[in-house]
Amino acid sequence: MTTKQLTITLPELAAGERYLCGVVDENGAVTHTILLPGDADPAPWEAQMAWAKSIGGDLPSRTEQAIAFASMPEEFERDWYWSNQQYSSVSGYAWSQRFHYGYQCGSHETNELRARAVRRLVIQ
């Protein structure tokens, strides 16, 4: 079996940004996730999605939140944060994570939770 060497070049970061993770897909493209500085005060899910977009980002996925909890919990308040993923089995719910215990669950989208934005770069 032949293995392919892969070199990953990390992107440059702006002031206050933190490199979160890189994921390689089946085609060899790397998606880098960068945590943007600053929290948004508690607000409903749709408002937090709009806030993240307004600063050039997105809310993190559930996987990205789990990585953030494992690798940089000091970047978050010990509170609930919205992800960018809706809860597929129940209408009107989206996934959230508590950055105290690492617990993830579906929360009603009208609940007011904190948010942290990320930006993603795809490198072919």
Side-chain angles (χ1 to χ4, degrees), residues 6-121:
L6 178 65
T7 302
I8 298 175
T9 303
L10 298 180
E12 286 195 37
L13 302 178
E17 293 182 339
R18 297 274 316 265
Y19 183 81
L20 180 59
C21 63
V23 177
V24 181
D25 71 15
E26 64 276 357
N27 300 315
V30 180
T31 300
H32 294 284
T33 302
I34 298 154
L35 185 66
L36 300 179
D39 279 14
D41 289 330
W45 182 75
E46 198 169 284
Q48 298 294 34
M49 292 286 286
W51 165 78
K53 186 176 182 177
S54 77
I55 62 169
D58 187 17
L59 297 183
S61 68
R62 292 177 60 204
T63 300
E64 290 164 338
Q65 284 185 321
I67 292 168
F69 178 74
S71 63
M72 56 179 72
E74 72 281 358
E75 290 288 329
F76 296 82
E77 298 293 326
R78 295 172 71 152
D79 205 350
W80 287 98
Y81 283 77
W82 285 117
S83 80
N84 68 355
Q85 295 176 265
Q86 288 184 297
Y87 197 76
S88 62
S89 62
V90 181
S91 178
Y93 280 71
W95 284 97
S96 60
Q97 175 156 335
R98 182 148 190 210
F99 277 85
H100 180 63
Y101 302 110
Y103 182 71
Q104 292 185 340
C105 71
S107 297
H108 196 274
E109 293 173 7
T110 59
N111 289 344
E112 295 192 358
L113 308 181
R114 301 185 74 78
R116 189 74 186 259
V118 298
R119 67 180 173 102
R120 295 180 191 88
L121 300 170

